[in-house]
Amino acid sequence: MNYETFKKVLSKANNIAVVISVILVLIGTAIIVNMLLGIENKKTVSIVIGMFFGVLLLILGVIAFKRMLSDQLQARNDTHPILKAIKEGDRGYLMWVYVEQINTTLGHDGPKVGTSQNVNYFTRDCKGKGKTIMTGKNYTAAEIIAYLSTEFDIPYLDYSDKTREAMNTYFGTSGLKKL
């Protein structure tokens, strides 16, 4: 993997999340419109509940869309913070990088039907709020981490209790804000 390949990974990493966020916006909008149409034939309670869920889905969708699309556009324009750090030779930018495995099951404690892996990362100035790189089908999380390891001197490359505690100390997070 090289810089251009990594840039493509970042620019395409959240495609599915962007699509899901658009779907949330559309469903939220549809619920709101449905509640407003024929309002005289509906009970107040159903209107309030419908509007609440419609607005909730709309807001969640807009927030997710903004966050995901922002990362993609930054990657395409070479302004993504990781890409900028690589260009500037800032080898100490990444503090903690690890693989997050997601298992898909049928129902609670049901059989596992699939897995996927994402790369979670924390930068030295992220204030304890990590970000995710969704790996997709073309590159594995291990390949992305291997590339990042060539560009950065990453102190923590695993997820363990010891690492998590070290990061909580570094970021000053405690109580409910613990990582």
Side-chain angles (χ1 to χ4, degrees), residues 6 18-19 38 46 50 61 67 75 79 81 91 94-95 98 102 111 144 146 164 166 177-179:
F6 181 65
V18 169
V19 169
S46 65
R67 291 178 112 189
T79 58
R91 295 191 60 84
L94 293 179
M95 294 295 298
Y98 63 91
I102 300 155
I144 293 169
R164 193 178 72 247
K177 289 184 154 190
K178 271 188 155 180
L179 304 174

Side-chain angles (χ1 to χ4, degrees), residues 97-100 117-121 131-135 140-142 144-145 148:
V97 178
Y98 63 91
V99 175
E100 175 187 29
Q117 293 184 334
N118 293 332
V119 175
N120 288 341
Y121 68 92
K131 288 209 161 200
T132 301
I133 300 171
M134 295 179 187
T135 57
T140 65
I144 293 169
I145 290 175
L148 292 173

Side-chain angles (χ1 to χ4, degrees), residues 111-128:
K112 185 167 62 170
V113 294
T115 62
S116 65
Q117 293 184 334
N118 293 332
V119 175
N120 288 341
Y121 68 92
F122 290 76
T123 63
R124 69 170 170 251
D125 56 355
C126 71
K127 299 177 184 162

Side-chain angles (χ1 to χ4, degrees), residues 35-44 46-47:
M35 289 295 109
L36 294 175
L37 293 177
I39 202 166
E40 64 277 347
N41 297 333
K42 296 178 183 164
K43 293 185 178 182
T44 305
S46 65
I47 293 171

Side-chain angles (χ1 to χ4, degrees), residues 89-97 148-157:
D90 186 1
R91 295 191 60 84
Y93 183 70
L94 293 179
M95 294 295 298
W96 184 19
V97 178
L148 292 173
S149 295
T150 64
E151 298 292 336
F152 299 99
D153 300 323
I154 307 168
Y156 300 98
L157 281 170

Side-chain angles (χ1 to χ4, degrees), residues 4-115:
E4 288 301 319
T5 306
F6 181 65
K7 180 179 169 179
K8 285 180 187 175
V9 168
L10 283 177
S11 67
K12 294 180 180 182
N14 298 326
N15 281 346
I16 293 173
V18 169
V19 169
I20 291 171
S21 67
V22 168
I23 291 170
L24 285 176
V25 167
L26 292 175
I27 291 172
T29 303
I31 290 172
I32 292 169
V33 168
N34 184 37
M35 289 295 109
L36 294 175
L37 293 177
I39 202 166
E40 64 277 347
N41 297 333
K42 296 178 183 164
K43 293 185 178 182
T44 305
V45 174
S46 65
I47 293 171
V48 170
I49 291 172
M51 290 297 281
F52 173 77
F53 284 112
V55 169
L56 182 68
L57 287 174
L58 181 67
I59 290 171
L60 288 174
V62 167
I63 290 170
F65 181 77
K66 182 183 176 288
R67 291 178 112 189
M68 300 301 170
L69 191 61
S70 172
D71 281 351
Q72 287 183 315
L73 292 175
Q74 285 179 334
R76 289 183 184 146
N77 297 328
D78 270 348
T79 58
H80 191 282
I82 292 179
L83 297 176
K84 284 173 57 176
I86 291 171
K87 280 184 168 182
E88 295 168 0
D90 186 1
R91 295 191 60 84
Y93 183 70
L94 293 179
M95 294 295 298
W96 184 19
V97 178
Y98 63 91
V99 175
E100 175 187 29
Q101 181 159 324
I102 300 155
N103 296 322
T104 305
T105 61
L106 293 175
H108 182 67
D109 291 330
K112 185 167 62 170
V113 294
T115 62

